[in-house]
Structures are given as C-alpha cells and as structure tokens.
Amino acid sequence: MIHVDIIPINPWQENTYILSDETKECVIIDPGCLSAEERDAVARFIEEKGYQPVRLLQTHMHLDHVFGSKFIADKYNLKLEAHKDDEFWGEQTVEYAANFGMELDANPPSIGNYLNEGDKVTFGNSLLEVIHVPGHSPGGIVFLSKEDKIAIVGDVLFRESIGRADLPGGDFEALVSNIKNKLLALDDEVKVYPGHGPASTIGHERTSNPFLT
C-alpha cells in the first residue's frame, strides 16, 4: 500500500510529495524546496522515516515545482523523470525566476528519463501509471495508483478549480477536455493530490468543480 506524505513549502505553498510503501523505497514528486532550510527539512524527514529515495518525478516543470530538483537529484543520485514537452521549462528556469526577482544558482537537471502516456513507474512493491494531461503545461502528467486509488495531479486539477492556462504552452480548452476525458473517467473514490492546496476526490470534482460541471 502506498503511503502519501505531503510537505507544503516555498512562497507558493507548493506541495512536495513523497510516496512510499512497506519496503521503505520512496519516490519524490515535484520537490519545491528552495531555501537551505527547506531542503534540510525534506532531507531530515526522509532520514527520520528511514526512506530510500529511488526516483525523482515531475508532474510538470514549472518554476515552483523544480526549485529543489537539482538538490534531490544530487543528494540521492537520481535522474529527473518528466515528460519531454516540458523540457523547455527546465532549460529556462533561472531566466524565468529572474522575472520574479529571484536569483537561482542553476536550472534543474536535464530530463534523464522521458515519461509518456501509459508508462509504468515502479518502486518497492508499488506501481504508478502515467497519464498525459496537457493544458496547464504541455508536458503535464498525472501519476495514478489504480490499486490504492490515488492520483498525484500537479497543477492540472485543484479542489473545485483547475490549473491556469495562460503560461507558455498552456491551453485552456485542452486542459478542460483532458481533465474530463482522462481524469473524470476514473473512479469517484480516487483521491486527488494537487500541486497546491487540499486534497479532493474525483467524485467531488465531478459534481462540485465549476469548470467541469
């Protein structure tokens, strides 16, 4: 059974996720840890739990989701795994951060393993399925555990809202269409873990999300 740990960090209150199971292997998804204090807190949490990080996954490559990706990749000797269509975001992270008055030392690592629709991501005794849901970003992906009925959705879907589509590569109509066709096709009981804010369920969003009803 997959256990979900949520670490809300950085000024955007981005949710960094650590998924683990009984083997203590874990995957780190969207590490947004920017400051030394945030990075130390994530590393300390992993150490205290006795987790063994084996994969670094990105739902997408927007600025606030990759602040800590290089730190995690270097510390645990992991390749960054993401969809190819978001590669341009990673390559311009330092430049884009400057627009917000932020000085970053380096871009996140280059994508070391491209994830595509239908790919299976394994760790420990667990399996996640990759669902490509472009619209918020062209390479936006969701990590779904059918067995445990959880979906890590990044900024595609929020509780009673959806991701913005006005950044480069965004497409509002595609976002809504992909959510309806790919995510609302899931069981109502699937728990939705977004990139910001509280968790929800597919059933709740099906009936209560004004963008989807």
Side-chain angles (χ1 to χ4, degrees):
M1 174 177 283
I2 294 177
H3 177 74
V4 181
D5 290 300
I6 309 171
I7 306 176
I9 43 184
N10 77 41
W12 286 274
Q13 285 294 291
E14 183 266 353
N15 293 329
T16 292
Y17 289 97
I18 300 176
L19 273 53
S20 61
D21 66 13
E22 61 276 5
T23 70
K24 292 292 188 177
E25 286 192 357
C26 74
V27 297
I28 302 170
I29 304 178
D30 292 356
C33 44
L34 175 59
S35 68
E37 292 78 13
E38 290 171 344
R39 294 174 181 182
D40 288 345
V42 171
R44 186 166 57 252
F45 179 86
I46 290 170
E47 181 179 2
E48 290 174 352
K49 291 289 187 178
Y51 292 158
Q52 177 188 353
V54 294
R55 305 188 81 150
L56 166 58
L57 309 176
Q58 301 284 164
T59 63
H60 63 301
M61 298 285 288
H62 282 167
L63 187 66
D64 50 330
H65 291 253
V66 300
F67 282 142
S69 297
K70 185 177 188 305
F71 167 75
I72 294 296
D74 290 346
K75 183 170 181 62
Y76 300 108
N77 192 29
L78 301 175
K79 295 184 297 185
L80 187 150
E81 304 182 59
H83 195 281
K84 182 176 177 60
D85 288 353
D86 261 21
E87 197 158 34
F88 75 99
W89 274 112
E91 293 170 348
Q92 63 183 20
T93 297
V94 170
E95 178 183 355
Y96 196 71
N99 294 329
F100 296 91
M102 305 173 68
E103 293 185 13
L104 302 184
D105 293 335
N107 288 328
S110 299
I111 299 175
N113 182 42
Y114 293 123
L115 297 175
N116 300 295
E117 174 85 21
D119 283 353
K120 304 296 190 292
V121 175
T122 60
F123 66 99
N125 297 325
S126 302
L127 181 147
L128 302 171
E129 180 180 332
V130 175
I131 306 174
H132 184 210
V133 189
H136 173 65
S137 71
I141 54 178
V142 167
F143 297 102
L144 170 70
S145 169
K146 290 182 178 178
E147 180 177 357
D148 293 300
K149 294 187 180 297
I150 63 172
I152 311 298
V153 300
D155 291 358
V156 167
L157 179 63
F158 300 118
R159 182 175 178 84
E160 299 180 8
S161 188
I162 63 175
R164 61 188 294 182
D166 59 340
L167 297 174
D171 186 323
F172 180 80
E173 291 185 1
L175 177 61
V176 172
S177 175
N178 283 317
I179 293 172
K180 288 182 176 180
N181 292 331
K182 294 187 175 185
L183 298 188
L184 295 191
L186 304 176
D187 293 342
D188 282 351
E189 297 78 16
V190 171
K191 194 161 186 179
V192 173
Y193 291 96
H196 307 266
S200 185
T201 64
I202 291 296
H204 181 80
E205 298 313 306
R206 190 191 313 280
T207 59
S208 302
N209 193 312
F211 293 94
L212 305 175
T213 55

